[in-house]
Amino acid sequence: MGKFVILPSHPSNDFFAQFPNCLAYSSKEEFVGNLYYAITHSPEPLADEYSHALSWEAATQRLEAAGCIPTEESELMADALASDDAGIEVCKYASLKGTKNV
């Protein structure tokens, strides 16, 4: 891509911190230093592994992995929902004083 990116140090930007052309900052002084560095240096060409990590294909794979439920967890949930104890208990409140009819 041939460019630097200057991002605040924040958990939402952790993925991008792995790239050599990502310059993260956590203060105004670091931002200025990173900006100066970006202006006075040439970015490294992205290696194939980094280019792949930024592709839609890799993003889709990360999304699929994040959305998957492990088989063991799925089976435990199915067992819990199939048990006689599964469900929601509904209570009706008789008054605003907190007495309830079950």
Side-chain angles (χ1 to χ4, degrees):
M1 298 204 176
K3 298 178 181 172
F4 285 107
V5 61
I6 303 171
L7 296 173
S9 294
H10 185 271
S12 65
N13 292 328
D14 284 349
F15 169 77
F16 299 104
Q18 69 180 306
F19 300 99
N21 296 343
C22 177
L23 307 173
Y25 67 90
S26 50
S27 68
K28 291 178 184 179
E29 292 78 16
E30 285 182 5
F31 173 79
V32 171
N34 286 345
L35 181 60
Y36 180 78
Y37 181 86
I39 292 171
T40 59
H41 292 79
S42 296
E44 297 178 25
L46 277 182
D48 289 340
E49 65 186 81
Y50 291 127
S51 292
H52 175 72
L54 289 173
S55 71
W56 281 109
E57 179 184 2
T60 302
Q61 291 168 351
R62 288 190 300 276
L63 177 63
E64 288 173 346
C68 288
I69 299 172
T71 304
E72 182 179 330
E73 185 179 335
S74 174
E75 290 169 355
L76 288 171
M77 182 60 75
D79 292 345
L81 291 174
S83 76
D84 292 336
D85 296 333
I88 300 172
E89 183 178 335
V90 179
C91 300
K92 294 183 180 178
Y93 288 91
S95 71
L96 295 176
K97 295 179 182 176
T99 16
K100 59 182 177 179
N101 296 327
V102 181

